[in-house]
Amino acid sequence: MAGSDATGHAGTPQSATTENIDSILTEDRRFPPPADFSAAAHIRSLDDYRAMQQTARRDPVAFWSGLARSEIQWHRPFNIAFDDSRAPYYSWFGGGQLNVSYNCLDRHLADRADKTAILFEGEPGDVRRISYSELHREVCRFANALKARGIGLGDRVVIYMPMVPEAVVAMLACARIGAIHSVVFGGFSSGSLRNRIEDASARAVITADGGHRDGRIVELKAACDLALSQGCGSVETVFVLRRAGNPVQMKGGRDIWWHEAAAGLSADCEPVWVDSEHPLFLLYTSGSTGTPKGIQHSSAGYLVVVAATMKWVFDIRDSDIFWCTADIGWITGHSYVVYGPLACGATVLMYEGAPAVPDAGRFWSICERHGVTIFYTAPTAIRSLMKMGDSIPARYDLSSLRLLGTVGEPINPEAWMWFRHVIGHERCPIVDTWWQTETGAIMIAPVPGAVTTKPGSCTLPLPGIEADIVDAEGRSITDPYQGGQLVIRRPWPSMLRAVWGNDKRYRETYWEPSGAHYYIAGDTAHRDREGYFWILGRSDDVLKVSGHRLGTMEIESALAAHPRVAEAAVIGKPDETKGETIFAFVVPKGARPTAEYAAELTRDLRAWVATQIGPIAKPETIRYADSLPKTRSGKIMRRLLRDIAQGVPITQDTSTLENEEIVKQLQGQV
Ligand code: WT7
């Protein structure tokens, strides 16, 4: 089974697949929803979940239209619920008009004006509580500041900020005036920032002097200055929030302090009503080839599904303190720190810093002090906190927690069980949520009051989501444990609408390989006897390092741009804590380096990649050789490199290699 075509392609190491299947075959632990949880939940039983699923299946457009009416306050109702006449460029809720910031703020002012919208804790320990009415005022004021600088409908605005409430204000202020935001993760370097600004032709950048991370100050404004000094001609204005207090340079005519820009402006700002399909944001993510793609999301369809999934998967209630630990630079932060919770009028906790500052108890201390009820994080974080030992979480009162969640990569059953025992005290259901930047919202996850969970499985697709697993010919694989490509058979409202400025790439990446019959996720997966989904990993050359997506190509290009490098190949090596680590094979210019030269070059290259892309992209290991193993057509033999990196016997036929000696060099034997 593991040797079938569908699972045996490049990207899914054979051994990992086999191991995974073995673990699933022996994974017979089951955790039904606790009765008291189900009794009070939005979806209370498996029957209710199945009934919703059936309704959605019978008439998907009617199902989503009903949700669109219940989840959104429309300025003008839609009349064309779904349009597939330009497939795969689908559109939803045509004819409708809305404003996303209105839906996240104004509509709560009648009954939740004084409720805390954002409960913020900075890394240094500063705490702020911002009510819905205060957030509304701040968003309006800053929207007016954007307008005063000429920003309006359809303009792109790059947000490069720390995890502070003003980052949310900036996003919602853009949404208020119909500007399209593109948040760039604050951990990315000036080079990555520049690429994204240029691809989107942004007119403005919103940044901060710096943010607190790991006891240090991340100098965002300085990185922004560097990016702008090397291009980015479209940028007219840079708004700078004072956060960390580090000195910055302000360029006259271009740069303006946030507080000065907003001073004296009205705390009212009439929302700009936009069409359902108006782009709410772009978010750049790595693909297997080329530069990062600007994933474009809509306004209405996106909001409908993020709001619905807050209820279905997180069972959100007015009394909850919801904490999603993701940075707003990732889709998880967009959907489950900002738009989902605020659309539901929830209280969302936002933490600025690193998990182990001042010590490994920080997350649990935050849960205790703020009474967090729902805690959503990444498997990599769980594994690293697990390594610190059970005695650390044992020091904190975690009894406020009622639901736990994970996202970003497969979670190994051991970490799942630890999360359940040591953090959830057997009381809290765990929702393992599968989705992507492109899907906008959660697609496959247990509905916690309805679906029995199994450690390591994201369980069943949500109502309206026709997830399937197919073989190389596109046939549905129904045999249990048989791996294949994870696909979604029917368009859904929160799906991506485009790759910014590149219709061809959108079509070719997600739809064309199936003849536009279904959406291709780029993951491999299989189902068990009960139809539960188990994700195996990516099927393309995309790495998941600590749950973050990095393209091998991007790192390879960065390495190859170094003056001492001729060529490079990058692969992911399985890692217990991080999921994968980056392993680079490098052909240096000139002769193969001596040990001493190699050590120095490795330091240099790691620092180089950190400045080109960001510290998360630094290769963990670099190995040098005179050339790289390639097929006759010139394709790098990645499976061979994976075997070498893992130190396992080589399974691939190497007879087509020009120089078999290279394999020994790459293995570090000569
Ligand atoms: C890729 C998408 C969506 C939020 C964070 C990542 C992997 C995501 C799971 C999960 C196994 C998962 C997939 C997917 N992934 N969630 N619960 N179990 N794998 O967003 O950066 O767009 O990455 O993350 O490989 O394709 P992203």
Side-chain angles (χ1 to χ4, degrees):
M1 64 179 87
S4 77
D5 281 344
T7 52
H9 50 68
T12 309
Q14 208 69 39
S15 54
T17 306
T18 316
E19 254 166 45
N20 224 315
I21 290 172
D22 290 348
S23 75
I24 288 155
L25 288 169
T26 56
E27 184 53 75
D28 54 6
R29 288 171 289 198
R30 275 166 178 61
F31 300 95
D36 56 338
F37 192 101
S38 301
H42 283 279
I43 303 176
R44 299 177 181 199
S45 68
L46 193 61
D47 286 346
D48 288 0
Y49 157 79
R50 294 264 186 232
M52 280 174 80
Q53 197 184 39
Q54 282 315 317
T55 307
R57 215 161 258 169
R58 267 196 301 276
D59 190 345
V61 174
F63 174 77
W64 291 119
S65 299
L67 274 175
R69 287 187 199 102
S70 63
E71 298 303 325
I72 285 188
Q73 274 192 18
W74 293 89
H75 178 64
R76 193 172 80 195
F78 58 92
N79 53 16
I80 309 165
F82 176 60
D83 180 2
D84 61 358
S85 60
R86 295 192 316 118
Y89 307 96
Y90 301 100
S91 72
W92 289 88
F93 314 128
Q97 285 197 327
L98 76 162
N99 180 281
V100 171
S101 91
Y102 181 91
N103 275 276
C104 290
L105 301 169
D106 305 56
R107 72 160 148 170
H108 304 310
L109 295 182
D111 50 358
R112 295 185 179 99
D114 297 326
K115 177 176 175 176
T116 299
I118 301 177
L119 173 42
F120 169 74
E121 180 161 316
E123 194 180 79
D126 48 324
V127 171
R128 284 159 69 190
R129 286 184 181 76
I130 300 165
S131 69
Y132 271 94
S133 64
E134 286 164 335
L135 187 60
H136 177 261
R137 281 202 293 279
E138 291 313 309
V139 168
C140 286
R141 222 189 298 275
F142 195 68
N144 285 326
L146 290 171
K147 285 207 291 197
R149 284 280 174 142
I151 309 295
L153 187 71
D155 287 333
R156 273 81 61 206
V157 175
V158 163
I159 297 174
Y160 184 60
M161 292 186 78
M163 274 293 281
V164 294
E166 286 79 3
V168 181
V169 172
M171 291 165 78
L172 293 172
C174 288
R176 194 150 193 98
I177 62 171
I180 304 167
H181 63 68
S182 171
V183 182
V184 177
F185 173 51
F188 278 133
S189 70
S190 63
S192 297
L193 175 63
R194 175 166 51 96
N195 293 338
R196 287 158 175 78
I197 292 172
E198 289 185 340
D199 190 82
S201 304
R203 287 188 67 187
V205 178
I206 307 170
T207 188
D209 49 0
H212 298 280
R213 180 87 202 173
D214 247 335
R216 286 188 297 270
I217 291 174
V218 180
E219 300 202 7
L220 296 164
K221 176 61 165 67
C224 185
D225 289 345
L226 186 58
L228 297 193
S229 72
Q230 295 172 340
C232 307
S234 58
V235 175
E236 297 157 14
T237 308
V238 179
F239 296 92
V240 188
L241 176 77
R242 187 168 273 313
R243 163 61 185 156
N246 50 310
V248 295
Q249 283 178 0
M250 298 292 279
K251 186 172 166 185
R254 186 193 71 185
D255 301 353
I256 183 167
W257 286 105
W258 173 301
H259 55 270
E260 286 172 8
L265 296 183
S266 166
D268 276 312
C269 175
E270 186 61 22
V272 171
W273 306 108
V274 300
D275 293 336
S276 294
E277 285 294 318
H278 181 71
L280 177 61
F281 63 85
L282 310 180
L283 184 59
Y284 283 82
T285 191
S286 301
S288 48
T289 56
T291 51
K293 346 172 226 207
I295 302 299
Q296 179 186 321
H297 278 287
S298 69
S299 296
Y302 171 78
L303 197 64
V304 170
V305 191
V306 295
T309 49
M310 282 302 297
K311 295 175 185 164
W312 297 347
V313 181
F314 295 118
D315 192 46
I316 194 78
R317 293 184 211 159
D318 243 334
S319 51
D320 278 316
I321 308 286
F322 179 81
W323 185 17
C324 163
T325 66
D327 191 281
I328 46 136
W330 312 110
I331 190 67
T332 312
H334 284 60
S335 302
Y336 299 108
V337 176
V338 185
Y339 293 111
L342 299 180
C344 293
T347 296
V348 66
L349 191 139
M350 202 176 173
Y351 169 57
E352 179 187 30
V357 178
D359 58 54
R362 184 62 177 265
F363 272 12
W364 318 128
S365 150
I366 292 174
C367 287
E368 176 184 279
R369 282 181 291 110
H370 299 300
V372 171
T373 59
I374 305 174
F375 178 65
Y376 186 38
T377 195
T380 184
I382 298 169
R383 288 189 292 261
S384 64
L385 292 164
M386 184 170 117
K387 273 208 285 202
M388 311 289 181
D390 299 1
S391 65
I392 295 172
R395 282 179 218 141
Y396 299 90
D397 176 4
L398 300 177
S399 61
S400 59
L401 290 171
R402 68 180 192 94
L403 180 64
L404 304 173
T406 73
V407 61
E409 56 187 315
I411 181 162
N412 49 311
E414 190 198 355
W416 196 101
M417 289 304 295
W418 182 85
F419 204 29
R420 179 181 158 84
H421 266 307
V422 179
I423 307 305
H425 296 195
E426 327 290 339
R427 182 185 65 243
C428 306
I430 298 178
V431 289
D432 174 351
T433 64
W434 179 87
W435 58 297
Q436 311 177 291
T437 304
E438 291 88 340
T439 69
I442 298 170
M443 300 280 104
I444 311 179
V447 169
V451 174
T452 293
T453 56
K454 304 178 190 181
S457 168
C458 56
T459 76
L460 302 170
L462 295 178
I465 304 303
E466 293 300 327
D468 198 0
I469 296 172
V470 300
D471 65 17
E473 277 75 51
R475 282 181 305 244
S476 182
I477 299 176
T478 46
D479 293 351
Y481 310 114
Q482 189 83 21
Q485 288 280 350
L486 180 61
V487 305
I488 303 178
R489 290 209 172 266
R490 217 186 266 288
W492 65 101
S494 67
M495 57 178 276
L496 78 165
R497 294 303 194 270
V499 172
W500 183 255
N502 199 340
D503 282 351
K504 185 162 166 276
R505 194 166 177 196
Y506 166 78
R507 226 175 36 241
E508 288 180 350
T509 308
Y510 304 106
W511 302 96
E512 224 144 65
S514 72
H517 286 310
Y518 45 74
Y519 166 86
I520 298 162
D523 280 351
T524 51
H526 58 231
R527 276 177 281 217
D528 64 18
R529 288 201 173 77
E530 292 174 292
Y532 276 46
F533 284 69
W534 299 76
I535 311 294
L536 301 170
R538 294 291 302 183
S539 55
D540 54 14
D541 290 321
V542 167
L543 307 180
K544 292 294 282 186
V545 179
S546 299
H548 299 133
R549 203 155 138 187
L550 294 168
T552 50
M553 256 283 292
E554 272 171 280
I555 307 168
E556 283 165 8
S557 320
L559 286 167
H562 189 275
R564 288 200 274 168
V565 172
E567 204 182 4
V570 166
I571 54 124
K573 181 182 175 197
D575 180 86
E576 271 198 3
T577 307
K578 296 180 177 175
E580 278 184 307
T581 58
I582 300 167
F583 199 115
F585 295 92
V586 167
V587 180
K589 285 188 179 149
R592 198 142 55 94
T594 59
E596 210 174 304
Y597 180 86
E600 188 267 325
L601 184 54
T602 295
R603 275 194 299 278
D604 193 15
L605 291 179
R606 281 167 46 85
W608 168 260
V609 173
T611 59
Q612 295 294 301
I613 304 176
I616 51 169
K618 276 196 291 199
E620 181 100 350
T621 316
I622 302 181
R623 210 166 271 171
Y624 300 94
D626 296 329
S627 68
L628 295 173
K630 292 187 184 164
T631 61
R632 288 227 174 85
S633 61
K635 253 191 117 198
I636 292 170
M637 298 165 90
R638 290 183 183 278
R639 184 130 62 88
L640 175 69
L641 292 179
R642 269 188 210 104
D643 287 347
I644 292 172
Q646 286 186 64
V648 298
I650 288 164
T651 50
Q652 212 181 1
D653 178 16
T654 53
S655 59
T656 55
L657 271 181
E658 279 169 44
N659 179 0
E660 284 200 64
E661 177 69 7
I662 291 303
V663 174
K664 291 215 177 70
Q665 281 186 17
L666 293 165
Q667 286 173 319
Q669 292 178 5
V670 285

